[in-house]
Amino acid sequence: MSAPAPPLGAAVRILLRHAIEAYQDSPQAHGWLTHNLQRFDEPLRVAIAGKVKAGKSTLLNALVGEQIAPTDAGECTRVVTWYVDAQFPRVTMYPRGSEPQQLTINRSTGGLSFDLHGYPVEKVDKLEVEWPSQSLRTQTLIDTPGIASLSADTSSRAGAFLAPEDAPTQADAVIYLMRHLHNTDVRFLESFFDQGVARATPVNTIGVLSRADEIGAGRLNALTSARKIARRYRADDKIRGLCQTVVAVAGLLAQTGRTMRQGEFTALTALAAMPRSDIESMLLSADRFSRTELDARDAPDSQTRAQLMERFGMFGVRLATTLIRQGMTDPNAISAELVKRSGLDELRSVLATQFTERRDLLKARSALLAVDLVLTREPRPDTAPLAADVERILAGAHEFAELRLLSALRAGAIKLPKDVLQEAERLLGGDGGSAAARLGLEPDAGPQEVWDAALDAAGRWRRRGESPMSSRAVADVSREVVRSCEGILAGMRQAYGE
């Protein structure tokens, strides 16, 4: 009997090493392949993209839990900026055609600020911010310039990084922010799809309905309205074919909840002690909130209220004062509730199930694109076996078969009854790659429950595929779903023994 095939990640690593050996005499190809082999052991690279003023930097700060990304409209927001975990803070600028330079770090109210030493933004390839952060240990976050900017150079810089014409993107996955769905968003998401490996799959993209608190004009039910819109987007066939899911997040509320200061809590407590009608009258507009003259002795002054509005927004001020009025007096509890209401926890859960659990798959996909690029640019007679290995991995790896089928189902290319479609997507990993998520079980489901559910699903889909009433398309879907169920069972045999 032949030896079992190595896992996907191991197979791609072996392929990369063989490619590195084959291209030892080509410095450019050798360096590119070596870089991608090293990239396998790095944290997942997640780019945050979207139109100007979509709230990219604010969401990044919320995910990290610190205000480190500049949120103003300064020149640094027009440069692709990488945020990576490190032991000590450091910022490095990578000018085009020049040696990297370390920059001085300045802390301002809107996050970090950097002096580019007189370099024009258009001549800076990227900034790299090294920052000690537990949140950055599992994922490197990449803040990109806004697309559809009034500056053509800024827009092109974002597009060149996320959807380059002559190379795979440097990001393994993308969080795409949109305030409302516009044609610009759709066109960009379509352009992001890689050519070649797992073509046109939305597996590495998550949509975020950002600044969700503004949808309801800052009312307390604003996020409820935003979540309804996100659900509608998730059900849209066009969106389903472009990204895994859509989540509503109030980024400013999430950022402030994770970074709230004692002085802000004190000011909010003083506001909550005022008559509710007075607060509601002040919250008719941001300008009115900060400029209204207050007679109460402990009331926060105009500057303090302006800072509260900048940090919390209309919705955040209204929500925080309401919570305090209802008896919540612990600032830590207030912070936690703001984060919970913001939708950040839901987004982080989605990131864990859709990106973190698929880390090896996303890394393998990026590596195969890198090898494919070298083989295309520098074809050689003796590298034909490498090209065959790329094709073999793509054809033989069930993980990629799942991606292709999941993409086809989400795009509506294969028609199935709604309940059957939902189960197929779930079993193929559409809701997460863990056995429990695939089987629709609670995360803490026991081994026997998982085994029974996987066995039942495999039998049900096998019967569906073998039924004479099933079409060829249904039979093909059933075969792949059964393989997914058998993969769960095989994994359990390996983990728990026969």
Side-chain angles (χ1 to χ4, degrees):
M1 294 180 61
S2 60
L8 176 61
V12 175
R13 285 175 189 267
I14 293 171
L15 172 64
L16 272 169
R17 293 191 182 100
H18 288 166
I20 290 170
E21 185 177 348
Y23 283 91
Q24 285 188 39
D25 59 340
S26 173
Q28 185 175 10
H30 187 272
W32 171 253
L33 293 167
T34 301
H35 165 74
N36 277 274
L37 180 60
Q38 296 169 344
R39 179 173 166 178
F40 241 110
D41 296 318
E42 294 177 1
L44 201 66
R45 297 176 176 182
V46 181
I48 301 178
K51 295 168 68 173
V52 175
K53 294 296 183 182
K56 298 182 295 297
S57 300
T58 300
L59 181 63
L60 188 148
N61 288 333
L63 288 169
V64 175
E66 292 186 70
Q67 278 191 272
I68 57 174
T71 55
D72 57 12
E75 59 183 6
C76 291
T77 61
R78 295 162 54 200
V79 180
V80 175
T81 306
W82 296 53
Y83 293 85
V84 301
D85 178 50
Q87 192 171 2
F88 303 103
R90 184 171 64 176
V91 178
T92 305
M93 176 179 65
Y94 291 81
R96 292 195 181 99
S98 301
E99 291 298 313
Q101 296 187 27
Q102 189 168 334
L103 302 182
T104 302
I105 302 176
N106 296 310
R107 168 71 81 172
S108 63
T109 56
L112 304 180
S113 61
F114 323 119
D115 180 3
L116 299 184
H117 294 177
Y119 271 87
V121 168
E122 57 271 15
K123 292 187 178 180
V124 177
D125 185 48
K126 71 172 184 178
L127 296 174
E128 183 176 270
V129 179
E130 298 174 81
W131 198 262
S133 170
Q134 188 168 354
S135 299
L136 294 173
R137 289 175 190 168
T138 57
Q139 57 187 14
T140 293
L141 296 175
I142 307 169
D143 196 3
T144 63
I147 65 169
S149 169
L150 292 176
S151 166
D153 178 71
T154 299
S155 291
S156 64
R157 193 177 296 116
F161 174 78
L162 292 161
E165 295 181 0
D166 58 351
T169 177
Q170 297 181 60
D172 297 310
V174 172
I175 301 172
Y176 186 81
L177 276 61
M178 49 193 170
R179 297 179 70 175
H180 296 286
L181 188 65
H182 294 281
N183 289 333
T184 306
D185 300 308
V186 173
R187 287 196 300 270
F188 177 80
L189 288 171
E190 288 175 335
S191 72
F192 180 69
F193 288 160
D194 294 313
Q195 299 299 308
V197 179
R199 178 176 302 205
T201 173
V203 69
N204 59 343
T205 307
I206 288 174
V208 171
L209 189 62
S210 65
R211 304 180 70 159
D213 52 313
E214 297 178 5
I215 289 175
R219 297 190 301 270
L220 285 177
N221 65 347
L223 280 170
T224 302
S225 301
R227 291 187 180 105
K228 288 180 180 178
I229 295 173
R231 282 197 297 271
R232 191 166 71 242
Y233 284 164
R234 286 198 295 269
D236 184 274
D237 288 341
K238 183 70 173 178
I239 303 304
R240 283 161 50 82
L242 295 173
C243 58
Q244 278 284 342
T245 189
V246 179
V247 181
V249 180
L252 182 62
L253 186 67
Q255 171 188 278
T256 304
R258 295 199 70 187
T259 61
M260 192 171 74
R261 306 153 188 156
Q262 180 62 42
E264 293 171 337
F265 175 73
T266 301
L268 290 167
T269 301
L271 287 171
M274 296 171 54
R276 184 169 183 173
S277 58
D278 291 353
I279 293 293
E280 290 300 321
S281 175
M282 291 168 61
L283 287 172
L284 289 174
S285 73
D287 186 66
R288 184 167 182 166
F289 177 76
S290 61
R291 292 180 180 273
T292 300
E293 294 292 334
L294 299 179
D295 296 329
R297 186 181 55 156
D298 296 329
D301 60 26
S302 178
Q303 182 179 356
T304 300
R305 280 179 277 135
Q307 291 170 347
L308 285 177
M309 184 57 63
E310 181 179 347
R311 285 265 292 154
F312 288 76
M314 195 90 69
F315 176 78
V317 170
R318 180 174 279 119
L319 175 59
T321 53
T322 299
L323 292 173
I324 294 171
R325 197 179 297 115
Q326 291 174 347
M328 192 173 287
T329 57
D330 181 358
N332 292 326
I334 293 284
S335 294
E337 188 65 19
L338 295 182
V339 172
K340 179 181 176 182
R341 300 279 189 104
S342 72
L344 182 66
D345 289 344
E346 182 183 0
L347 174 60
R348 294 171 75 180
S349 176
V350 169
L351 290 175
T353 58
Q354 302 295 355
F355 288 169
T356 307
E357 289 179 8
R358 284 193 170 105
R359 180 190 180 281
D360 285 351
L361 174 59
L362 295 173
K363 288 287 186 182
R365 182 172 181 265
S366 297
L368 286 173
L369 285 166
V371 175
D372 185 60
L373 175 69
V374 171
L375 295 176
T376 301
R377 285 186 174 178
E378 298 188 30
R380 300 179 177 185
D382 59 344
T383 58
L386 294 176
D389 282 344
V390 172
E391 293 298 326
R392 177 182 54 78
I393 292 173
L394 287 176
H398 179 59
E399 294 92 336
F400 285 118
E402 282 187 329
L403 295 192
R404 288 189 288 267
L405 180 53
L406 187 59
S407 177
L409 292 174
R410 288 181 176 273
I414 302 173
K415 301 298 181 184
L416 294 173
K418 185 176 180 179
D419 57 334
V420 176
L421 176 65
Q422 289 176 342
E423 185 185 22
E425 289 185 5
R426 179 166 46 74
L427 288 169
L428 290 167
D431 293 339
S434 69
R438 289 173 181 261
L439 296 166
L441 302 175
E442 294 297 323
D444 58 352
Q448 189 62 51
E449 185 180 1
V450 172
W451 176 272
D452 291 343
L455 205 60
D456 180 62
R460 185 169 59 255
W461 278 91
R462 188 175 289 111
R463 290 190 297 273
R464 180 174 284 121
E466 294 172 352
S467 171
M469 303 297 292
S470 295
S471 66
R472 174 66 180 273
V474 172
D476 290 343
V477 171
S478 299
R479 184 167 55 252
E480 295 300 337
V481 172
V482 169
R483 283 190 65 188
S484 296
C485 295
E486 290 174 343
I488 295 173
L489 294 170
M492 295 194 69
R493 290 192 192 100
Q494 186 176 11
Y496 299 101
E498 293 288 345

